Amino acid sequence: MNPARPYDVVVAGGGPAGCAAALALARAGRRVLLADADNGPPKVGEALVAAGRVLLDDLGAADRVLGTGHLPCYANLSSWGSSAVHAVDFINDPHGHGWHLDRRLFDRQLREAARAAGAEVAEHTAVRRPVRHRNGRWSLTLRGRGDDRTVHCEWVVDATGRRAAIATRCGARRKTHDRLTAIHLTLAPAAGTEAADGSSLVASDEDGWWYTALLPSRRRLVAYFTDADLPAAALTTQTRFMQRTLAVRHLAQRARRHSPPPEATLRRAPAHSAHLDQVYGDGWIAAGDAAVAFDPLSAQGIITALYTGKSAGQAIDTQLRGDETALMDYTAKVRAAHTAYRHGLRTVYAQETRWPHRPFWARRLAATTPHRMEPHHDPATGSPPPRA
């Protein structure tokens, strides 16, 4: 492509939301640049629900993205509200099974699909110093491996994740609804020839909840979710983390088959619910976690990123064609998804009533009354949590 010619759209962020936006725009014939900074820690343990294939089919990318490298997920198990384990089997899901993703591979496959659709993809390249000019165009500085230049475009898609780097620079405000954080460790593959475990497990305890799943690499992810200001969040060593892991019966049965490799690192990631007070403005639109970030308990993170990314790309294309209602329609879609998510999350948390006086659960029970927990402004930064 001619670098001197303005792009229709520059997409900042090469994750699922940014790739979905670039795919939608490229398939609509728009000249689009997808800039992927890839400057966060490795993303592990995320899942895609079965309906994600429908969105990827709509984007023409399902076979390319899901054809290899990911582990099927056939059931979700939960020890929630009691010590018993309950199973939700996907055998009755009309879309089939879900997937435990190799996130680096998944994102790379999505970027390859965007490139195949006609988008220009700049790997390891960050968007810096966005300037909106009076003529309605943007100037953006790109900084990357051998790709330092200034580009111009009419629209920018902010798919920078929870930072919402462009939207907040343009005056949008992030509102967070809790302090949930993830502490996670990746264990070594199990000894012997253990069959692949095609299920995930969620288990609650008095100060939060646990998630575990086998990764496509046959390593096992173990993640603990609690509020960042609670004592339970002070798990700072592998030894303390594993001691607490092995105290949860159903979790221990799975974790004992594995061991922490010597190079394993105990990591943290933000996992709170958040949204922008506005998802578009003068020449910009936000998608994915930049627009609305979900508690991983909902298992809706990746599919919502794909949905909002695709919808944002379609809204820009429609707007450029002269439809002045496209951006308002996009806002309505994001708000509807957020409202449904908040209702569903309150319902799920309300089902755990064993520890009503523990701070973590007292906060969630208080939040089962709509709007009881007031959002507060927090310019949080970080990568997505280790589960969709």
Side-chain angles (χ1 to χ4, degrees):
M1 291 186 179
N2 179 4
R5 178 185 164 197
Y7 295 94
D8 295 315
V9 185
V10 170
V11 180
C19 290
L23 271 162
L25 287 158
R27 286 164 62 85
R30 297 296 174 183
R31 188 169 190 263
V32 55
L33 169 65
L34 174 62
D36 174 44
D38 189 28
N39 55 4
K43 302 180 180 73
V44 295
E46 298 193 72
L48 179 67
V49 297
R53 174 176 280 278
V54 177
L55 281 169
L56 290 170
D57 272 331
D58 288 345
L59 292 166
D63 291 339
R64 179 186 292 268
V65 172
L66 297 176
T68 184
H70 309 294
L71 190 66
C73 178
Y74 296 108
N76 288 332
L77 308 178
S78 63
S79 175
W80 193 272
S82 76
S83 60
V85 171
H86 303 276
V88 175
D89 198 312
F90 297 152
I91 192 169
N92 295 319
D93 192 310
H95 303 298
H97 62 75
W99 292 266
H100 297 295
L101 299 176
D102 177 334
R103 261 306 300 276
R104 281 196 178 276
L105 175 63
F106 182 73
D107 289 0
R108 187 166 66 249
Q109 289 168 328
L110 278 171
R111 291 193 294 273
E112 289 170 356
R115 184 182 284 112
E120 180 182 345
V121 179
E123 303 274 6
H124 308 290
T125 300
V127 173
R128 307 288 190 196
R129 295 194 291 274
V131 177
R132 182 71 166 166
H133 298 290
R134 292 182 180 179
N135 64 3
R137 288 185 177 173
W138 289 91
S139 293
L140 306 167
T141 300
L142 302 185
R143 289 287 180 266
R145 298 179 183 176
D147 191 7
D148 293 349
R149 53 180 165 142
T150 298
V151 298
H152 306 278
C153 62
E154 294 188 48
W155 277 85
V156 177
V157 176
D158 185 346
T160 60
R162 290 172 180 266
R163 294 183 301 126
I166 293 170
T168 53
R169 185 184 178 99
C170 293
R173 300 183 71 232
R174 281 187 68 77
K175 297 185 177 181
T176 65
H177 300 272
D178 55 69
R179 302 173 180 85
L180 191 67
T181 191
I183 307 164
H184 58 100
L185 184 68
T186 301
L187 307 182
T193 57
E194 181 190 31
D197 179 4
S199 63
S200 61
L201 171 70
V202 172
S204 53
D205 75 6
E206 64 270 23
D207 295 315
W209 56 273
W210 295 84
Y211 170 80
T212 188
L214 202 63
L215 303 175
S217 63
R218 299 305 191 267
R219 296 174 182 267
R220 176 170 292 279
L221 174 76
V222 179
Y224 186 52
F225 295 84
T226 188
D227 286 340
D229 62 325
L230 297 181
L235 292 172
T236 56
T237 67
Q238 282 190 34
T239 299
R240 292 183 62 189
F241 185 87
M242 290 304 298
Q243 286 174 343
R244 185 145 189 165
T245 296
L246 297 176
V248 181
R249 178 162 58 98
H250 304 298
L251 188 63
Q253 292 172 357
R254 291 159 174 79
R256 282 197 182 101
R257 303 170 191 164
H258 304 258
S259 60
E263 73 278 10
T265 301
L266 196 63
R267 297 183 181 276
R268 294 174 181 268
H272 55 268
S273 302
H275 72 280
L276 286 180
D277 63 350
Q278 59 184 97
V279 294
Y280 76 90
D282 183 20
W284 66 267
I285 193 168
D289 282 351
V292 57
F294 290 171
D295 184 319
L297 187 62
S298 71
Q300 297 295 308
I302 299 289
I303 194 170
T304 301
L306 292 171
Y307 172 70
T308 56
K310 174 191 169 198
S311 298
Q314 292 173 333
I316 292 173
D317 177 60
T318 304
Q319 173 78 9
L320 290 171
R321 295 180 191 277
D323 186 343
E324 297 298 327
T325 67
L327 299 174
M328 290 183 290
D329 290 344
Y330 175 70
T331 296
K333 288 179 179 180
V334 174
R335 286 179 177 171
H338 187 226
T339 298
Y341 153 75
R342 293 295 301 277
H343 174 76
L345 192 69
R346 287 194 297 264
T347 300
V348 172
Y349 272 120
Q351 293 171 1
E352 180 53 88
T353 59
R354 287 178 288 173
W355 304 286
H357 302 300
R358 300 288 291 188
F360 181 89
W361 295 104
R363 292 169 180 176
R364 271 70 189 171
L365 291 173
T368 58
T369 301
H371 309 304
R372 179 75 175 272
M373 184 182 290
E374 292 297 329
H376 60 279
H377 178 61
D378 181 10
T381 63
S383 61
R387 172 155 141 80

